[in-house]
Amino acid sequence: MNSQHFANITISLPIFMASLIVGIQPLPNQELSPPECRLGKWNLPALVNSTKQKLPVLIPRVPVTCCQEDISCLDQAIDHDKQSLLKSIDYSLKYLQTERAIIAYKKSEFTRERVYKSLQKFRQLLISTKSPQQLQAAIEKEFVFYQSIGRDNKGTVLFTAYYEPLYLASRQPTKEFRYAAYRSPADLESWAKPHPTRLELEGADGLQGSKGKLTGLELFWFRNRLEPYMIQIQGSAKLKLTDGTQTTIGYAGNTAYNYRSLGKSLVDDGKFPLEGLNMPIILDYFRKYPQDLNIYIPRDQSFVFFQENHGQPAQGSIGVPVTPERSIATDKSLMPPGALALIRAPFPYLNKSNKIEHRLVSRYVLDQDTGGAIKGAGRVDYFLGTGESAGERAGLTVSNGQLFYLLLKP
């Protein structure tokens, strides 16, 4: 890849998301709520924090009672978004009836039956209640909250967000469309470990895939290298094809390496200090030095393969579609797949002036996905939808908050 070609590429904000960056200072949740509601009640109880024993990942606790003045305590989006939440619940209910779920819950501290019945009850309450306040009151009577211990054993969870990119692509390589996304090799499970690295698979410039193990696996072709790389990070994409048709691609496998972000590599090289690094800085760097993508992308040794899904919606790791602002990704080795959760954190929204502002919100969500960078009890990735607007919001989502799972009282 030559510098002249790269100089003509416009790198827009949605291309670089929170998952690519280290060093952004998370927004504290307390600063965006009324002073009278800045209480420790959202954190884990002090009794839990003082114990010297190893804590379980999820701690049972009483539901958090809302301050009357704090509307962020309630899921206000239910007033206009109830159908999306119901749809997401139905996806989880469908998953929980599969053999895949039966196997997954053999490793969970909660039973599949309890999670299933909890979702059924919540669905009934969601339909029968007339306001977020009524729903909250009903939940306090029926459910137990299980709070994640977070990153600090005090309940602090780091939230980022992801989205489904929308790109122009070609089914055939041309002088303009040179960078490929690849289908999964039929013999991937038999590949000897350690697997080939990204550098070995596609070369430093991303153009050498046809000379090795990726030969003949090209699925679609893109105009610049960042687009297929971003799809690998997001796990899916919608494609507008040069022949005028549209399609979708989704995750179909990966090599056995951990994901490494561009931001982390830039910090490790001393290009920027950890503190204060943000997306505008990274964007400006690659505008000035586009050839450096040939240095930093190969440092992410992991590689993701895809399949064409012919217009089907993006799917999460449990095999059901993810719903914008109603699906989250967590570490599935720790969290119950498909379960109902409540998240509370500052997220970016467009205000009436069409500018981004952060608002502290509470949202009922379904745990339906995972991600290579989402590890431990203190990480959540929030799905924000498809396209440029969702990408802009996702790129600005880095904040501290809390994560609760809702299960019926025994």
Side-chain angles (χ1 to χ4, degrees):
M1 183 183 305
N2 60 64
S3 301
Q4 182 60 42
H5 172 76
F6 241 120
N8 294 325
I9 294 174
T10 300
I11 304 176
S12 61
L13 182 62
I15 287 177
F16 282 89
M17 325 214 351
S19 61
L20 291 180
I21 298 172
V22 296
I24 294 181
Q25 298 300 313
L27 290 168
N29 47 20
Q30 291 86 357
E31 290 184 5
L32 299 178
S33 59
E36 63 272 15
C37 296
R38 292 179 198 165
L39 307 174
K41 63 184 181 181
W42 289 99
N43 296 326
L44 284 170
L47 181 62
V48 173
N49 296 331
S50 64
T51 181
K52 295 182 180 179
Q53 298 178 349
K54 183 178 179 180
L55 297 175
V57 171
L58 297 172
I59 306 293
R61 55 167 298 168
V62 296
V64 180
T65 302
C66 296
C67 289
Q68 187 172 357
E69 298 84 359
D70 186 7
I71 62 172
S72 70
C73 184
L74 302 169
D75 188 342
Q76 298 288 329
I78 285 176
D79 285 335
H80 58 82
D81 189 35
K82 185 176 291 189
Q83 291 306 311
S84 292
L85 182 52
L86 287 169
K87 179 173 65 174
S88 193
I89 291 169
D90 289 342
Y91 287 142
S92 277
L93 287 171
K94 181 179 179 180
Y95 159 75
L96 288 166
Q97 298 177 72
T98 65
E99 184 66 26
R100 184 175 181 178
I102 292 172
I103 295 171
Y105 271 87
K106 289 180 179 179
K107 303 175 184 179
S108 175
E109 66 175 293
F110 304 108
T111 66
R112 182 177 60 92
E113 291 76 15
R114 187 180 180 194
V115 172
Y116 187 86
K117 290 179 180 178
S118 299
L119 280 175
Q120 285 183 313
K121 183 62 177 181
F122 180 82
R123 193 183 193 282
Q124 293 172 1
L125 294 175
L126 185 59
I127 293 172
S128 62
T129 54
K130 304 301 181 183
S131 68
Q133 290 82 359
Q134 286 186 12
L135 179 61
Q136 173 75 13
I139 286 171
E140 290 185 10
K141 292 180 181 179
E142 301 278 357
F143 287 81
V144 178
F145 280 37
Y146 288 82
Q147 184 169 3
S148 169
I149 61 172
R151 297 185 294 162
D152 55 1
N153 290 346
K154 297 179 181 179
T156 302
V157 173
L158 175 63
F159 285 83
T160 53
Y162 65 114
Y163 77 114
E164 184 181 46
L166 174 61
Y167 292 134
L168 181 65
S170 172
R171 289 190 181 274
Q172 303 297 329
T174 68
K175 290 183 179 180
E176 183 180 7
F177 293 85
R178 303 191 298 158
Y179 302 94
Y182 297 88
R183 61 174 55 88
S184 181
D187 61 346
L188 179 60
E189 292 187 2
S190 66
W191 279 17
K193 293 183 179 179
H195 284 164
T197 64
R198 176 182 298 277
L199 180 63
E200 292 168 335
L201 287 172
E202 65 175 8
D205 61 0
L207 294 171
Q208 310 307 314
S210 62
K211 299 179 180 179
K213 296 178 79 68
L214 299 181
T215 303
L217 298 176
E218 296 87 354
L219 188 60
F220 291 100
W221 302 83
F222 299 83
R223 289 180 297 185
N224 72 69
R225 191 180 184 190
L226 279 167
E227 291 175 349
Y229 180 65
M230 280 305 304
I231 301 172
Q232 291 194 33
I233 294 171
Q234 301 309 310
S236 65
K238 285 190 176 181
L239 304 180
K240 181 179 180 181
L241 301 179
T242 53
D243 62 9
T245 62
Q246 294 189 18
T247 190
T248 54
I249 60 174
Y251 173 86
N254 64 275
T255 57
Y257 290 101
N258 290 327
Y259 163 73
R260 179 183 176 89
S261 73
L262 295 180
K264 182 174 183 355
S265 291
L266 288 169
V267 170
D268 289 347
D269 276 4
K271 300 291 185 180
F272 303 103
L274 178 63
E275 185 176 359
L277 181 63
N278 58 33
M279 279 183 289
I281 293 173
I282 290 181
L283 290 171
D284 185 61
Y285 178 84
F286 284 111
R287 287 191 186 102
K288 292 177 178 176
Y289 309 104
Q291 69 280 1
D292 279 9
L293 284 170
N294 294 349
I295 298 172
Y296 290 106
I297 287 181
R299 291 189 186 178
D300 178 14
Q301 296 186 3
S302 66
F303 201 88
V304 177
F305 302 101
F306 298 96
Q307 61 188 10
E308 184 175 2
N309 290 333
H310 305 284
Q312 294 181 5
Q315 288 198 344
S317 62
I318 66 171
V320 302
V322 287
T323 304
E325 306 205 43
R326 293 300 179 186
S327 296
I328 60 170
T330 65
D331 186 338
K332 289 297 172 290
S333 69
L334 301 174
M335 302 303 176
L340 173 69
L342 173 69
I343 59 174
R344 177 176 168 83
F347 294 106
Y349 293 89
L350 282 175
N351 61 22
K352 293 181 180 179
S353 301
N354 209 34
K355 294 182 179 180
I356 293 285
E357 65 179 16
H358 282 79
R359 299 201 302 267
L360 180 63
V361 299
S362 298
R363 290 289 181 268
Y364 295 110
V365 295
L366 285 301
D367 194 339
Q368 298 170 329
D369 205 358
T370 191
I374 310 303
K375 302 295 184 184
R379 285 289 281 112
V380 169
D381 221 11
Y382 186 36
F383 181 63
L384 291 180
T386 301
E388 185 173 351
S389 177
E392 289 179 358
R393 292 183 60 208
L396 294 172
T397 301
V398 185
S399 56
N400 285 326
Q402 292 88 22
L403 168 66
F404 307 85
Y405 287 84
L406 278 64
L407 293 170
L408 282 172
K409 293 179 179 178

